[in-house]
Amino acid sequence: MNPTLVVPDWDGDAWLVPHTTAHLRPGEALQGVLPVRLDVLAPESIPKRYRKPKPEVDTSSGFKGWQRIFLPWAYVTWLCSLPAGLLEDGAGKTWRGIRRIFRGRVWEGGWDSTAGWFVITARTGPMDDGGYTNDKIALACTDQRLLLLNKPTWHEREAAQLLGELPRGRFAVRREPHPPRHKQRVDLAFPDGSWLALEVSRTHEVPLLTALLSQDRRG
């Protein structure tokens, strides 16, 4: 008997099911898909040495011809905003550091581990996105694989892209419990000993994601 299909209970995410189905292999059965995010204290970006090259940003829309007279003003504006940006960035890092003391570790294994690969793949996002701070992802489980998908902002016009995958047997729910105060958290573990904390949007989705990532859902 096949396991019950796990799907988002919010209609706004129901589109994930047909978008995921488009990535299935012949004979592969979808077991469920849920939107997730990396833990709030997971790395917000990835080191440059681990970044996959992306197409360069198009600069053709910059200042041209007579518009160049605005370049000095643009430079002055940027220069004035720089201290505020640095102050904001410093405050953000300080706050994250304080939160990390109380929240504890949210991933382990380093950038060369499977957990590191997961963070790199998620943050890299689709190749048509020029940044490395993507935070819109979804996880889909089949009877063969775990699929890491991006979650496009305009799903009516963009298809969810497959960012990466892991075969069955290469992932599981972490056995060690995380702090019970983290109500929306599920830890994903890998055979190399690395692990990563994920979050769902609603507390009642925690058992759904836990069941989805369990190895006994083969049907």
Side-chain angles (χ1 to χ4, degrees):
M1 182 177 180
N2 292 330
T4 302
L5 185 66
V6 175
V7 298
D9 61 352
W10 182 53
D11 290 341
D13 286 331
W15 58 269
L16 280 169
V17 175
H19 278 235
T20 302
T21 303
H23 295 289
L24 299 184
R25 299 166 178 165
E28 189 174 17
L30 178 64
Q31 297 182 338
V33 56
L34 287 172
V36 299
R37 57 182 176 269
L38 302 184
D39 186 275
V40 66
L41 292 183
E44 295 179 299
S45 186
I46 54 180
K48 289 185 179 180
R49 65 181 181 276
Y50 291 101
R51 295 180 181 181
K52 300 177 182 178
K54 288 190 173 185
E56 294 185 2
V57 177
D58 183 12
T59 58
S60 61
S61 60
F63 291 99
K64 297 180 180 179
W66 63 269
Q67 296 175 339
R68 294 180 182 274
I69 64 175
F70 292 106
L71 282 175
W73 172 250
Y75 176 75
V76 170
T77 302
W78 172 82
L79 192 63
C80 293
S81 66
L82 185 59
L86 292 174
L87 182 62
E88 181 180 358
D89 183 59
K93 289 181 178 178
T94 300
W95 175 237
R96 283 175 61 85
I98 294 173
R99 294 186 67 183
R100 186 173 287 111
I101 295 174
F102 296 97
R103 194 171 184 87
R105 296 187 63 85
V106 299
W107 79 300
E108 190 168 330
W111 292 107
D112 293 312
S113 67
T114 307
W117 167 86
F118 194 104
V119 175
I120 292 169
T121 303
R123 291 304 193 205
T124 300
M127 296 305 292
D128 55 1
D129 180 351
Y132 295 88
T133 58
N134 177 60
D135 62 354
K136 296 179 174 64
I137 57 175
L139 283 185
C141 271
T142 76
D143 57 346
Q144 302 176 20
R145 300 177 290 164
L146 174 69
L147 309 181
L148 174 57
L149 307 167
N150 82 304
K151 190 181 175 189
T153 302
W154 306 106
H155 60 85
E156 302 91 345
R157 294 179 291 181
E158 303 176 55
Q161 298 182 32
L162 178 61
L163 304 178
E165 62 181 80
L166 289 170
R168 278 287 184 181
R170 303 298 297 174
F171 62 91
V173 175
R174 185 172 175 238
R175 293 183 178 180
E176 293 79 2
H178 57 70
R181 63 181 180 275
H182 300 166
K183 304 293 185 182
Q184 296 168 261
R185 174 172 162 177
V186 176
D187 290 355
L188 185 60
F190 307 101
D192 61 357
S194 65
W195 61 270
L196 173 67
L198 303 174
E199 288 188 346
V200 290
S201 298
R202 290 165 282 275
T203 304
H204 67 267
E205 291 180 337
V206 168
L208 296 179
L209 182 59
T210 300
L212 195 59
L213 297 174
S214 297
Q215 294 296 309
D216 57 354
R217 285 184 56 87
R218 293 178 179 272

